[in-house]
Amino acid sequence: MEKKNKTFGFCLFCALFLALSTALGGCGAGELTQETVGAPETESPSASSQIRIFYYSTLSEPNFGDPQFKDCLFRYGEKYPELEFVIESSAPGEDRDMVLNRLLADISQGRGPDILVLSRKTLEIFQDNGALAELSGSLPEETAEQIFDSVLRQGRIGDGLYGVAWEARVDTLLVPETVWQEDTWRVEDVLSLLDERQAQGDPYDRWLSISYSLTAEQMLYDLGLKGIENTEERVSALVDMEQGKCFFDTPEFVRLLENCKKYGEVSGSREYMDWAQRLTEVGNGSALALPCNGDLKGFSSAMASCEDGYRCVGYPTESGNGSYVNCSRFMAVNAGTEHYDIAVGFIEEMLSEEVQRENFGISSVRRDVLTENVVEHPSFCETPVFMIGEKAYAQLEGKADGSSWVREYVELLEKGVPGNWEVSGIQKIIMEDAAAYFNGDKDAEDAAGAIQSRVSLYLEERRDN
């Protein structure tokens, strides 16, 4: 974006942290490799005149945020011509643990970035180390009321709010109504449907139609492990996080393992399948269910292609809703920042109605943005549209009668379970010992017993801590 007026004094640097050999308690952040976007007012700005934003990368390459994020930061910075805004990220190939340790060391010594953009897992690590400011009272009430609870809950740790996402997407499963008529289902229901078709002599090729081969490990994750550590809803019958108990040495779990091995496909055994091919696979009975995930536009497209006779049943769950709401990044504030009001102000700006509508519209975390800006039966378009601005819009696929899918999408955001894209500790344990069974190194009962022992120990240690 070209800067229109230099008097704004706004500088946006995309800065690389260089790898350091320090751990917790080490020295400062060292030099920065910087990419300038905009022109600084002074050649050597002082630390007190900088607002630093650390954008954590889960990849081997640095991440300085998407264009919308940087555009919002640029515009926000125009309110503070005396300050420079700097985005920092890890260096290519830098060890992520080293990055986190260095940041935590800096924050503990009164330094560190003012704003941190973190994944859910790193949010927990930073909060556990006392590095994050609690945000519950900082958001205007009218703003907090409009943000979906499923989004806010993902930024909560214990009783406090420590991070807020600015985008959200849904993740659910579509099932033909001829196969399943209820709103949710359990793991046992899915396994029974597989057994019924097997008994009829016309077995399913696989339970879930995805774009690639559905391995035993992937089937186990999607069918039995998704959301297993969720403490607010009893998603899984295998683990009770509140009671600190697990139930893997059971005939039910052994049956799950056996079905995963039975239906699991060899990795790479299928060529890529697009949405139309996968929809056909479910429609002709070769697969049981179809994943549907994305923002309002993606959800609308998926639903429009299979409107007749399909329902959003979600992933297997013991209670509540089996659909998930996924947020990949969370804005957090350094507990010791000298620029608390400015840092919180940026979060407020990112969550404002105008910014959410114009920059993140179809993936907005605000209820009013989604419900008040979809126009059905517009005079200028044959399909529903999302109005980004007075003359700008995003076209959406609609129902046969021309109406939109926004009501169904918002309902999933309202009722969905907070998701987590990162593999949890319990999931890692289960996958490790299940792999020994899938590879033929253990039988199902031995694998289940090993999992029971290891997860029990994990829950014990967690309770003690």
Side-chain angles (χ1 to χ4, degrees), residues 418-432:
N420 192 340
W421 290 354
E422 295 166 294
V423 179
S424 71
I426 290 179
Q427 289 168 340
K428 288 179 181 178
I429 292 172
I430 298 169
M431 297 300 285
E432 286 173 4

Side-chain angles (χ1 to χ4, degrees), residues 132-207:
L132 303 181
E134 212 279 330
L135 302 174
S136 295
S138 64
L139 298 180
E141 185 176 348
E142 59 271 21
T143 298
E145 287 178 348
Q146 290 297 337
I147 301 174
F148 291 103
D149 187 56
S150 59
V151 172
L152 287 176
R153 283 159 61 194
Q154 293 186 61
R156 292 192 183 281
I157 302 173
D159 296 327
L161 178 67
Y162 294 93
V164 185
W166 64 92
E167 288 188 280
R169 291 169 173 79
V170 300
D171 182 13
T172 189
L173 296 183
L174 303 178
V175 183
E177 290 183 339
T178 54
V179 174
W180 192 253
Q181 295 79 42
E182 298 180 34
D183 293 332
T184 61
W185 53 1
R186 300 172 304 155
V187 174
E188 290 78 7
D189 297 322
V190 175
L191 297 181
S192 294
L193 290 170
L194 296 176
D195 288 346
E196 287 173 13
R197 281 284 298 270
Q198 178 74 35
Q200 294 169 5
D202 183 24
Y204 285 105
D205 291 339
R206 53 186 185 165
W207 94 280

